Amino acid sequence: MSIFDEFERFMRRWQKFFEEIERQIEEDFRRFSAQPPSIGGGRPRYYYYGFEITVGPDGKPVVREFGNVRRRSDVEKIEVVDEIDPLTDIVEEDDKIKVVVDMPGVEKDDIKLYISEDGKTLTIDAKGKERKYRKEIKLPAAVDPSKAKATYKNGVLSIELEKTEKRKKGFEIKID
């Protein structure tokens, strides 16, 4: 199977997925517009969905989805939840890990960051007036939480984490 066959299969799957999203949105709209609005919600105020396609280390496409529209693996349906799974980039360097998270619509004070006891999982929670975000990230290496630095500006959360064990660069071997 060529990369083009793989891509065609991938695109057919996505087309089917988007047709299901569109069908369910129309169904939800008809159902919710027929009901009086309930106090405290009941229906989502927005649909937030996106995906990012990158090339993995094996040369195959890797698709990461984000937003509040999720596919359920047990049934052929989608669900819309209150918490948004934000677009996230993780960059691993020799001695640190940088995490960049797209989280517009919340204030700096609304964001809570947690690192697990083993230093291998980062959890991000944000609850603003209009939006809620939640993301649990398995880090590529253990980090030292006491040396973590985070900034939030223009809807972008940037986190810099120092690894507990530095990657050894090795030694050069001279050829005779």
Side-chain angles (χ1 to χ4, degrees):
M1 182 181 338
S2 75
I3 187 81
F4 297 108
D5 293 334
E6 180 77 22
F7 185 73
E8 172 125 1
R9 189 172 64 79
F10 169 77
M11 291 306 291
R12 277 195 305 269
R13 208 171 84 224
W14 276 104
Q15 181 178 2
K16 190 176 173 183
F17 176 67
F18 281 116
E19 287 170 355
E20 173 63 20
I21 288 175
E22 185 176 13
R23 186 196 63 72
Q24 190 163 354
I25 288 172
E26 288 173 0
E27 181 183 307
D28 288 349
F29 182 74
R30 279 193 303 276
R31 188 170 31 123
F32 290 141
S33 61
Q35 297 175 357
S38 62
I39 297 174
R43 68 176 119 160
R45 285 185 267 186
Y46 51 85
Y47 293 88
Y48 180 66
Y49 178 80
F51 62 93
E52 173 184 42
I53 303 174
T54 57
V55 178
D58 57 358
K60 292 186 179 181
V62 176
V63 179
R64 293 188 301 174
E65 298 173 288
F66 58 92
N68 71 334
V69 178
R70 300 196 179 122
R71 253 188 296 187
R72 290 187 49 189
S73 58
D74 56 337
V75 291
E76 285 294 318
K77 282 198 149 204
I78 61 168
E79 64 181 351
V80 181
V81 295
D82 286 337
E83 291 179 333
I84 297 171
D85 180 14
L87 175 62
T88 306
D89 285 321
I90 302 166
V91 178
E92 183 178 10
E93 296 179 356
D94 288 339
D95 59 345
K96 61 185 161 188
I97 299 170
K98 292 182 180 178
V99 180
V100 180
V101 186
D102 183 30
M103 296 177 27
V106 295
E107 298 295 323
K108 179 179 86 167
D109 295 334
D110 298 334
I111 302 170
K112 304 291 181 218
L113 303 174
Y114 306 96
I115 296 179
S116 62
E117 285 187 34
D118 64 359
K120 294 183 179 179
T121 304
L122 171 67
T123 303
I124 302 166
D125 276 317
K127 291 182 175 76
K129 293 176 185 167
E130 296 289 321
R131 297 185 183 176
K132 297 177 190 174
Y133 294 93
R134 179 162 175 76
K135 182 82 172 190
E136 190 170 290
I137 303 166
K138 301 288 183 211
L139 299 170
V143 297
D144 183 354
S146 66
K147 296 181 181 174
K149 296 177 187 171
T151 59
Y152 181 72
K153 185 174 183 182
N154 296 328
V156 178
L157 175 65
S158 299
I159 308 162
E160 195 169 292
L161 305 162
E162 192 172 311
K163 292 181 182 179
T164 54
E165 288 186 29
K166 310 293 187 240
R167 184 184 301 168
K168 295 181 180 169
K169 295 183 182 179
F171 301 95
E172 182 179 354
I173 300 173
K174 296 192 183 211
I175 303 171
D176 294 328

